[in-house]
Amino acid sequence: MPKRSNQFQKIVTYIAEQLAPSGATVRESVELPESGVSGVLREVDTLIEVDAGLTRVRIAVESRERSRKDDIQWVDHLIGKYALLPIDRVLAVSNAGFSTAAKLKAEVHNIKLLSPREF
């Protein structure tokens, strides 16, 4: 799968680089293998890896630039996508914000939602 990116994703990756703790690795458009599914790679928009004591924590950041708020369907997609990936935490960033249903579903599944419009 070719690496895909857009300007919003590049901005989110840049911000992640600036906010990441010393020693963290931040990479854009990283392909990770699904557990138990040989040969299947999935793209993560931005991957942040941080040493935390005896382990390495992997944080996936998914970015979307839309004209409308992102809805529960995107959250459902993220739940399915990350079920078999070696990721410890998922952050979803939408320039337009999120619907109430998306916020509720994300909270139940420990997905952090961020939007520049909601700061």
Side-chain angles (χ1 to χ4, degrees), residues 13-47:
T13 299
Y14 175 78
I15 292 169
E17 290 170 341
Q18 301 309 305
L19 296 176
S22 179
T25 303
V26 179
R27 297 181 289 155
E28 184 180 0
S29 292
V30 177
E31 291 182 332
L32 296 176
E34 282 194 0
S35 300
V37 185
S38 181
V40 174
L41 297 174
R42 301 296 298 267
E43 183 181 21
V44 176
D45 289 346
T46 304
L47 178 65

PDB file of all heavy atoms in Angstrom, residues 13-47:
ATOM      1  N   THR A  13       0.965  15.615  12.571  1.00  0.00           N
ATOM      2  CA  THR A  13       2.239  14.946  12.861  1.00  0.00           C
ATOM      3  C   THR A  13       3.259  15.943  13.414  1.00  0.00           C
ATOM      4  O   THR A  13       3.965  15.645  14.385  1.00  0.00           O
ATOM      5  CB  THR A  13       2.790  14.250  11.605  1.00  0.00           C
ATOM      6  OG1 THR A  13       1.843  13.261  11.172  1.00  0.00           O
ATOM      7  CG2 THR A  13       4.127  13.576  11.883  1.00  0.00           C
ATOM      8  N   TYR A  14       3.317  17.124  12.820  1.00  0.00           N
ATOM      9  CA  TYR A  14       4.242  18.150  13.305  1.00  0.00           C
ATOM     10  C   TYR A  14       3.932  18.533  14.761  1.00  0.00           C
ATOM     11  O   TYR A  14       4.833  18.625  15.593  1.00  0.00           O
ATOM     12  CB  TYR A  14       4.185  19.391  12.404  1.00  0.00           C
ATOM     13  CG  TYR A  14       5.023  20.522  12.920  1.00  0.00           C
ATOM     14  CD1 TYR A  14       6.412  20.517  12.750  1.00  0.00           C
ATOM     15  CD2 TYR A  14       4.454  21.591  13.612  1.00  0.00           C
ATOM     16  CE1 TYR A  14       7.188  21.546  13.248  1.00  0.00           C
ATOM     17  CE2 TYR A  14       5.226  22.618  14.106  1.00  0.00           C
ATOM     18  CZ  TYR A  14       6.599  22.589  13.921  1.00  0.00           C
ATOM     19  OH  TYR A  14       7.365  23.611  14.430  1.00  0.00           O
ATOM     20  N   ILE A  15       2.664  18.715  15.073  1.00  0.00           N
ATOM     21  CA  ILE A  15       2.274  19.051  16.448  1.00  0.00           C
ATOM     22  C   ILE A  15       2.642  17.916  17.395  1.00  0.00           C
ATOM     23  O   ILE A  15       3.156  18.151  18.495  1.00  0.00           O
ATOM     24  CB  ILE A  15       0.767  19.393  16.518  1.00  0.00           C
ATOM     25  CG1 ILE A  15       0.501  20.703  15.773  1.00  0.00           C
ATOM     26  CG2 ILE A  15       0.296  19.475  17.972  1.00  0.00           C
ATOM     27  CD1 ILE A  15      -0.965  21.003  15.546  1.00  0.00           C
ATOM     28  N   ALA A  16       2.419  16.674  16.975  1.00  0.00           N
ATOM     29  CA  ALA A  16       2.787  15.516  17.798  1.00  0.00           C
ATOM     30  C   ALA A  16       4.290  15.515  18.064  1.00  0.00           C
ATOM     31  O   ALA A  16       4.728  15.224  19.182  1.00  0.00           O
ATOM     32  CB  ALA A  16       2.354  14.218  17.121  1.00  0.00           C
ATOM     33  N   GLU A  17       5.074  15.843  17.051  1.00  0.00           N
ATOM     34  CA  GLU A  17       6.536  15.910  17.227  1.00  0.00           C
ATOM     35  C   GLU A  17       6.923  16.956  18.266  1.00  0.00           C
ATOM     36  O   GLU A  17       7.814  16.733  19.083  1.00  0.00           O
ATOM     37  CB  GLU A  17       7.223  16.236  15.894  1.00  0.00           C
ATOM     38  CG  GLU A  17       7.171  15.122  14.888  1.00  0.00           C
ATOM     39  CD  GLU A  17       7.636  15.550  13.506  1.00  0.00           C
ATOM     40  OE1 GLU A  17       7.672  16.764  13.204  1.00  0.00           O
ATOM     41  OE2 GLU A  17       7.949  14.654  12.712  1.00  0.00           O
ATOM     42  N   GLN A  18       6.241  18.085  18.238  1.00  0.00           N
ATOM     43  CA  GLN A  18       6.558  19.176  19.166  1.00  0.00           C
ATOM     44  C   GLN A  18       6.136  18.858  20.592  1.00  0.00           C
ATOM     45  O   GLN A  18       6.785  19.290  21.550  1.00  0.00           O
ATOM     46  CB  GLN A  18       5.893  20.487  18.702  1.00  0.00           C
ATOM     47  CG  GLN A  18       6.309  20.930  17.316  1.00  0.00           C
ATOM     48  CD  GLN A  18       7.813  20.965  17.122  1.00  0.00           C
ATOM     49  OE1 GLN A  18       8.537  21.610  17.862  1.00  0.00           O
ATOM     50  NE2 GLN A  18       8.302  20.234  16.121  1.00  0.00           N
ATOM     51  N   LEU A  19       5.056  18.109  20.754  1.00  0.00           N
ATOM     52  CA  LEU A  19       4.528  17.806  22.090  1.00  0.00           C
ATOM     53  C   LEU A  19       5.045  16.497  22.682  1.00  0.00           C
ATOM     54  O   LEU A  19       4.890  16.260  23.881  1.00  0.00           O
ATOM     55  CB  LEU A  19       3.000  17.766  22.038  1.00  0.00           C
ATOM     56  CG  LEU A  19       2.304  19.080  21.682  1.00  0.00           C
ATOM     57  CD1 LEU A  19       0.797  18.867  21.575  1.00  0.00           C
ATOM     58  CD2 LEU A  19       2.631  20.167  22.685  1.00  0.00           C
ATOM     59  N   ALA A  20       5.643  15.671  21.866  1.00  0.00           N
ATOM     60  CA  ALA A  20       6.118  14.358  22.336  1.00  0.00           C
ATOM     61  C   ALA A  20       7.256  14.542  23.337  1.00  0.00           C
ATOM     62  O   ALA A  20       8.071  15.454  23.207  1.00  0.00           O
ATOM     63  CB  ALA A  20       6.581  13.512  21.161  1.00  0.00           C
ATOM     64  N   PRO A  21       7.319  13.671  24.325  1.00  0.00           N
ATOM     65  CA  PRO A  21       8.406  13.777  25.311  1.00  0.00           C
ATOM     66  C   PRO A  21       9.759  13.447  24.677  1.00  0.00           C
ATOM     67  O   PRO A  21       9.834  12.787  23.636  1.00  0.00           O
ATOM     68  CB  PRO A  21       8.033  12.742  26.376  1.00  0.00           C
ATOM     69  CG  PRO A  21       7.086  11.816  25.725  1.00  0.00           C
ATOM     70  CD  PRO A  21       6.407  12.576  24.626  1.00  0.00           C
ATOM     71  N   SER A  22      10.797  13.893  25.317  1.00  0.00           N
ATOM     72  CA  SER A  22      12.160  13.622  24.856  1.00  0.00           C
ATOM     73  C   SER A  22      12.363  12.112  24.722  1.00  0.00           C
ATOM     74  O   SER A  22      11.955  11.339  25.581  1.00  0.00           O
ATOM     75  CB  SER A  22      13.150  14.202  25.860  1.00  0.00           C
ATOM     76  OG  SER A  22      14.461  13.919  25.445  1.00  0.00           O
ATOM     77  N   GLY A  23      12.963  11.707  23.613  1.00  0.00           N
ATOM     78  CA  GLY A  23      13.206  10.292  23.378  1.00  0.00           C
ATOM     79  C   GLY A  23      12.107   9.580  22.626  1.00  0.00           C
ATOM     80  O   GLY A  23      12.279   8.437  22.199  1.00  0.00           O
ATOM     81  N   ALA A  24      10.975  10.229  22.445  1.00  0.00           N
ATOM     82  CA  ALA A  24       9.866   9.616  21.704  1.00  0.00           C
ATOM     83  C   ALA A  24      10.181   9.629  20.209  1.00  0.00           C
ATOM     84  O   ALA A  24      10.908  10.491  19.721  1.00  0.00           O
ATOM     85  CB  ALA A  24       8.564  10.358  21.969  1.00  0.00           C
ATOM     86  N   THR A  25       9.602   8.672  19.521  1.00  0.00           N
ATOM     87  CA  THR A  25       9.719   8.611  18.066  1.00  0.00           C
ATOM     88  C   THR A  25       8.350   8.929  17.481  1.00  0.00           C
ATOM     89  O   THR A  25       7.350   8.345  17.900  1.00  0.00           O
ATOM     90  CB  THR A  25      10.143   7.195  17.613  1.00  0.00           C
ATOM     91  OG1 THR A  25      11.369   6.860  18.248  1.00  0.00           O
ATOM     92  CG2 THR A  25      10.311   7.121  16.117  1.00  0.00           C
ATOM     93  N   VAL A  26       8.305   9.858  16.530  1.00  0.00           N
ATOM     94  CA  VAL A  26       7.051  10.213  15.859  1.00  0.00           C
ATOM     95  C   VAL A  26       7.266  10.019  14.361  1.00  0.00           C
ATOM     96  O   VAL A  26       8.178  10.597  13.777  1.00  0.00           O
ATOM     97  CB  VAL A  26       6.651  11.678  16.156  1.00  0.00           C
ATOM     98  CG1 VAL A  26       5.360  12.036  15.428  1.00  0.00           C
ATOM     99  CG2 VAL A  26       6.515  11.911  17.654  1.00  0.00           C
ATOM    100  N   ARG A  27       6.409   9.172  13.754  1.00  0.00           N
ATOM    101  CA  ARG A  27       6.531   8.896  12.319  1.00  0.00           C
ATOM    102  C   ARG A  27       5.167   9.020  11.652  1.00  0.00           C
ATOM    103  O   ARG A  27       4.146   8.679  12.242  1.00  0.00           O
ATOM    104  CB  ARG A  27       7.079   7.490  12.085  1.00  0.00           C
ATOM    105  CG  ARG A  27       8.491   7.295  12.630  1.00  0.00           C
ATOM    106  CD  ARG A  27       9.024   5.912  12.365  1.00  0.00           C
ATOM    107  NE  ARG A  27       8.327   4.938  13.207  1.00  0.00           N
ATOM    108  CZ  ARG A  27       8.191   3.654  12.914  1.00  0.00           C
ATOM    109  NH1 ARG A  27       8.650   3.176  11.776  1.00  0.00           N
ATOM    110  NH2 ARG A  27       7.565   2.837  13.733  1.00  0.00           N
ATOM    111  N   GLU A  28       5.191   9.461  10.409  1.00  0.00           N
ATOM    112  CA  GLU A  28       3.962   9.630   9.636  1.00  0.00           C
ATOM    113  C   GLU A  28       3.788   8.460   8.659  1.00  0.00           C
ATOM    114  O   GLU A  28       4.764   7.937   8.118  1.00  0.00           O
ATOM    115  CB  GLU A  28       4.027  10.948   8.859  1.00  0.00           C
ATOM    116  CG  GLU A  28       2.771  11.278   8.089  1.00  0.00           C
ATOM    117  CD  GLU A  28       2.866  12.593   7.328  1.00  0.00           C
ATOM    118  OE1 GLU A  28       3.903  13.257   7.386  1.00  0.00           O
ATOM    119  OE2 GLU A  28       1.880  12.925   6.673  1.00  0.00           O
ATOM    120  N   SER A  29       2.544   8.068   8.430  1.00  0.00           N
ATOM    121  CA  SER A  29       2.173   7.028   7.466  1.00  0.00           C
ATOM    122  C   SER A  29       2.979   5.743   7.667  1.00  0.00           C
ATOM    123  O   SER A  29       3.717   5.304   6.789  1.00  0.00           O
ATOM    124  CB  SER A  29       2.338   7.539   6.033  1.00  0.00           C
ATOM    125  OG  SER A  29       1.404   8.542   5.761  1.00  0.00           O
ATOM    126  N   VAL A  30       2.776   5.115   8.819  1.00  0.00           N
ATOM    127  CA  VAL A  30       3.488   3.888   9.171  1.00  0.00           C
ATOM    128  C   VAL A  30       2.572   2.698   8.928  1.00  0.00           C
ATOM    129  O   VAL A  30       1.401   2.718   9.308  1.00  0.00           O
ATOM    130  CB  VAL A  30       3.925   3.920  10.655  1.00  0.00           C
ATOM    131  CG1 VAL A  30       4.596   2.624  11.055  1.00  0.00           C
ATOM    132  CG2 VAL A  30       4.823   5.114  10.917  1.00  0.00           C
ATOM    133  N   GLU A  31       3.104   1.654   8.300  1.00  0.00           N
ATOM    134  CA  GLU A  31       2.334   0.435   8.087  1.00  0.00           C
ATOM    135  C   GLU A  31       2.676  -0.575   9.172  1.00  0.00           C
ATOM    136  O   GLU A  31       3.849  -0.849   9.426  1.00  0.00           O
ATOM    137  CB  GLU A  31       2.626  -0.144   6.706  1.00  0.00           C
ATOM    138  CG  GLU A  31       2.073   0.720   5.594  1.00  0.00           C
ATOM    139  CD  GLU A  31       2.308   0.121   4.224  1.00  0.00           C
ATOM    140  OE1 GLU A  31       3.281  -0.627   4.048  1.00  0.00           O
ATOM    141  OE2 GLU A  31       1.503   0.418   3.330  1.00  0.00           O
ATOM    142  N   LEU A  32       1.645  -1.117   9.820  1.00  0.00           N
ATOM    143  CA  LEU A  32       1.819  -2.105  10.880  1.00  0.00           C
ATOM    144  C   LEU A  32       1.079  -3.389  10.501  1.00  0.00           C
ATOM    145  O   LEU A  32       0.001  -3.339   9.897  1.00  0.00           O
ATOM    146  CB  LEU A  32       1.249  -1.579  12.207  1.00  0.00           C
ATOM    147  CG  LEU A  32       1.915  -0.354  12.803  1.00  0.00           C
ATOM    148  CD1 LEU A  32       1.170   0.083  14.056  1.00  0.00           C
ATOM    149  CD2 LEU A  32       3.376  -0.632  13.129  1.00  0.00           C
ATOM    150  N   PRO A  33       1.632  -4.540  10.891  1.00  0.00           N
ATOM    151  CA  PRO A  33       0.970  -5.806  10.573  1.00  0.00           C
ATOM    152  C   PRO A  33      -0.170  -6.104  11.538  1.00  0.00           C
ATOM    153  O   PRO A  33      -0.071  -5.842  12.730  1.00  0.00           O
ATOM    154  CB  PRO A  33       2.093  -6.833  10.746  1.00  0.00           C
ATOM    155  CG  PRO A  33       2.995  -6.221  11.772  1.00  0.00           C
ATOM    156  CD  PRO A  33       2.931  -4.729  11.536  1.00  0.00           C
ATOM    157  N   GLU A  34      -1.252  -6.653  11.000  1.00  0.00           N
ATOM    158  CA  GLU A  34      -2.351  -7.104  11.851  1.00  0.00           C
ATOM    159  C   GLU A  34      -1.944  -8.406  12.536  1.00  0.00           C
ATOM    160  O   GLU A  34      -1.345  -9.275  11.904  1.00  0.00           O
ATOM    161  CB  GLU A  34      -3.624  -7.336  11.041  1.00  0.00           C
ATOM    162  CG  GLU A  34      -4.347  -6.074  10.686  1.00  0.00           C
ATOM    163  CD  GLU A  34      -5.758  -6.333  10.194  1.00  0.00           C
ATOM    164  OE1 GLU A  34      -6.197  -7.497  10.125  1.00  0.00           O
ATOM    165  OE2 GLU A  34      -6.438  -5.341   9.888  1.00  0.00           O
ATOM    166  N   SER A  35      -2.285  -8.551  13.802  1.00  0.00           N
ATOM    167  CA  SER A  35      -2.002  -9.786  14.536  1.00  0.00           C
ATOM    168  C   SER A  35      -2.879 -10.915  14.015  1.00  0.00           C
ATOM    169  O   SER A  35      -4.087 -10.746  13.853  1.00  0.00           O
ATOM    170  CB  SER A  35      -2.280  -9.595  16.031  1.00  0.00           C
ATOM    171  OG  SER A  35      -1.476  -8.574  16.551  1.00  0.00           O
ATOM    172  N   GLY A  36      -2.255 -12.058  13.728  1.00  0.00           N
ATOM    173  CA  GLY A  36      -3.005 -13.234  13.311  1.00  0.00           C
ATOM    174  C   GLY A  36      -3.456 -13.242  11.872  1.00  0.00           C
ATOM    175  O   GLY A  36      -4.094 -14.180  11.423  1.00  0.00           O
ATOM    176  N   VAL A  37      -3.159 -12.180  11.117  1.00  0.00           N
ATOM    177  CA  VAL A  37      -3.564 -12.110   9.711  1.00  0.00           C
ATOM    178  C   VAL A  37      -2.292 -11.902   8.889  1.00  0.00           C
ATOM    179  O   VAL A  37      -1.845 -10.782   8.694  1.00  0.00           O
ATOM    180  CB  VAL A  37      -4.568 -10.962   9.466  1.00  0.00           C
ATOM    181  CG1 VAL A  37      -5.070 -10.997   8.030  1.00  0.00           C
ATOM    182  CG2 VAL A  37      -5.735 -11.038  10.441  1.00  0.00           C
ATOM    183  N   SER A  38      -1.723 -12.983   8.440  1.00  0.00           N
ATOM    184  CA  SER A  38      -0.437 -12.959   7.747  1.00  0.00           C
ATOM    185  C   SER A  38      -0.469 -12.079   6.499  1.00  0.00           C
ATOM    186  O   SER A  38      -1.359 -12.221   5.650  1.00  0.00           O
ATOM    187  CB  SER A  38      -0.032 -14.381   7.367  1.00  0.00           C
ATOM    188  OG  SER A  38       1.203 -14.376   6.718  1.00  0.00           O
ATOM    189  N   GLY A  39       0.486 -11.190   6.412  1.00  0.00           N
ATOM    190  CA  GLY A  39       0.656 -10.368   5.217  1.00  0.00           C
ATOM    191  C   GLY A  39      -0.230  -9.148   5.124  1.00  0.00           C
ATOM    192  O   GLY A  39      -0.148  -8.410   4.152  1.00  0.00           O
ATOM    193  N   VAL A  40      -1.074  -8.898   6.102  1.00  0.00           N
ATOM    194  CA  VAL A  40      -1.970  -7.739   6.047  1.00  0.00           C
ATOM    195  C   VAL A  40      -1.348  -6.582   6.818  1.00  0.00           C
ATOM    196  O   VAL A  40      -1.053  -6.693   8.000  1.00  0.00           O
ATOM    197  CB  VAL A  40      -3.365  -8.068   6.623  1.00  0.00           C
ATOM    198  CG1 VAL A  40      -4.229  -6.822   6.680  1.00  0.00           C
ATOM    199  CG2 VAL A  40      -4.032  -9.148   5.797  1.00  0.00           C
ATOM    200  N   LEU A  41      -1.114  -5.486   6.103  1.00  0.00           N
ATOM    201  CA  LEU A  41      -0.570  -4.276   6.721  1.00  0.00           C
ATOM    202  C   LEU A  41      -1.641  -3.204   6.738  1.00  0.00           C
ATOM    203  O   LEU A  41      -2.427  -3.073   5.798  1.00  0.00           O
ATOM    204  CB  LEU A  41       0.642  -3.769   5.930  1.00  0.00           C
ATOM    205  CG  LEU A  41       1.842  -4.695   5.869  1.00  0.00           C
ATOM    206  CD1 LEU A  41       2.904  -4.122   4.937  1.00  0.00           C
ATOM    207  CD2 LEU A  41       2.424  -4.916   7.256  1.00  0.00           C
ATOM    208  N   ARG A  42      -1.668  -2.426   7.826  1.00  0.00           N
ATOM    209  CA  ARG A  42      -2.613  -1.313   7.951  1.00  0.00           C
ATOM    210  C   ARG A  42      -1.830  -0.033   8.193  1.00  0.00           C
ATOM    211  O   ARG A  42      -0.857  -0.019   8.949  1.00  0.00           O
ATOM    212  CB  ARG A  42      -3.575  -1.546   9.115  1.00  0.00           C
ATOM    213  CG  ARG A  42      -4.401  -2.817   9.015  1.00  0.00           C
ATOM    214  CD  ARG A  42      -5.362  -2.829   7.825  1.00  0.00           C
ATOM    215  NE  ARG A  42      -6.342  -1.781   7.875  1.00  0.00           N
ATOM    216  CZ  ARG A  42      -7.559  -1.889   8.402  1.00  0.00           C
ATOM    217  NH1 ARG A  42      -7.943  -3.025   8.936  1.00  0.00           N
ATOM    218  NH2 ARG A  42      -8.379  -0.867   8.395  1.00  0.00           N
ATOM    219  N   GLU A  43      -2.251   1.039   7.561  1.00  0.00           N
ATOM    220  CA  GLU A  43      -1.555   2.310   7.704  1.00  0.00           C
ATOM    221  C   GLU A  43      -2.068   3.098   8.907  1.00  0.00           C
ATOM    222  O   GLU A  43      -3.277   3.213   9.110  1.00  0.00           O
ATOM    223  CB  GLU A  43      -1.718   3.160   6.442  1.00  0.00           C
ATOM    224  CG  GLU A  43      -0.937   4.454   6.536  1.00  0.00           C
ATOM    225  CD  GLU A  43      -1.082   5.332   5.312  1.00  0.00           C
ATOM    226  OE1 GLU A  43      -2.061   5.155   4.558  1.00  0.00           O
ATOM    227  OE2 GLU A  43      -0.237   6.211   5.129  1.00  0.00           O
ATOM    228  N   VAL A  44      -1.138   3.616   9.670  1.00  0.00           N
ATOM    229  CA  VAL A  44      -1.426   4.516  10.784  1.00  0.00           C
ATOM    230  C   VAL A  44      -0.983   5.904  10.338  1.00  0.00           C
ATOM    231  O   VAL A  44       0.147   6.073   9.889  1.00  0.00           O
ATOM    232  CB  VAL A  44      -0.657   4.078  12.050  1.00  0.00           C
ATOM    233  CG1 VAL A  44      -0.872   5.069  13.181  1.00  0.00           C
ATOM    234  CG2 VAL A  44      -1.061   2.672  12.462  1.00  0.00           C
ATOM    235  N   ASP A  45      -1.866   6.899  10.450  1.00  0.00           N
ATOM    236  CA  ASP A  45      -1.516   8.244   9.991  1.00  0.00           C
ATOM    237  C   ASP A  45      -0.259   8.762  10.687  1.00  0.00           C
ATOM    238  O   ASP A  45       0.680   9.215  10.038  1.00  0.00           O
ATOM    239  CB  ASP A  45      -2.669   9.225  10.223  1.00  0.00           C
ATOM    240  CG  ASP A  45      -3.847   8.982   9.298  1.00  0.00           C
ATOM    241  OD1 ASP A  45      -3.696   8.240   8.293  1.00  0.00           O
ATOM    242  OD2 ASP A  45      -4.925   9.537   9.570  1.00  0.00           O
ATOM    243  N   THR A  46      -0.251   8.715  12.011  1.00  0.00           N
ATOM    244  CA  THR A  46       0.907   9.145  12.792  1.00  0.00           C
ATOM    245  C   THR A  46       1.099   8.145  13.927  1.00  0.00           C
ATOM    246  O   THR A  46       0.151   7.836  14.638  1.00  0.00           O
ATOM    247  CB  THR A  46       0.691  10.554  13.390  1.00  0.00           C
ATOM    248  OG1 THR A  46       0.394  11.478  12.334  1.00  0.00           O
ATOM    249  CG2 THR A  46       1.926  11.033  14.148  1.00  0.00           C
ATOM    250  N   LEU A  47       2.315   7.652  14.075  1.00  0.00           N
ATOM    251  CA  LEU A  47       2.638   6.707  15.140  1.00  0.00           C
ATOM    252  C   LEU A  47       3.628   7.362  16.094  1.00  0.00           C
ATOM    253  O   LEU A  47       4.679   7.834  15.678  1.00  0.00           O
ATOM    254  CB  LEU A  47       3.236   5.426  14.570  1.00  0.00           C
ATOM    255  CG  LEU A  47       3.652   4.367  15.585  1.00  0.00           C
ATOM    256  CD1 LEU A  47       2.424   3.828  16.336  1.00  0.00           C
ATOM    257  CD2 LEU A  47       4.402   3.234  14.904  1.00  0.00           C
TER     258      LEU A  47
END
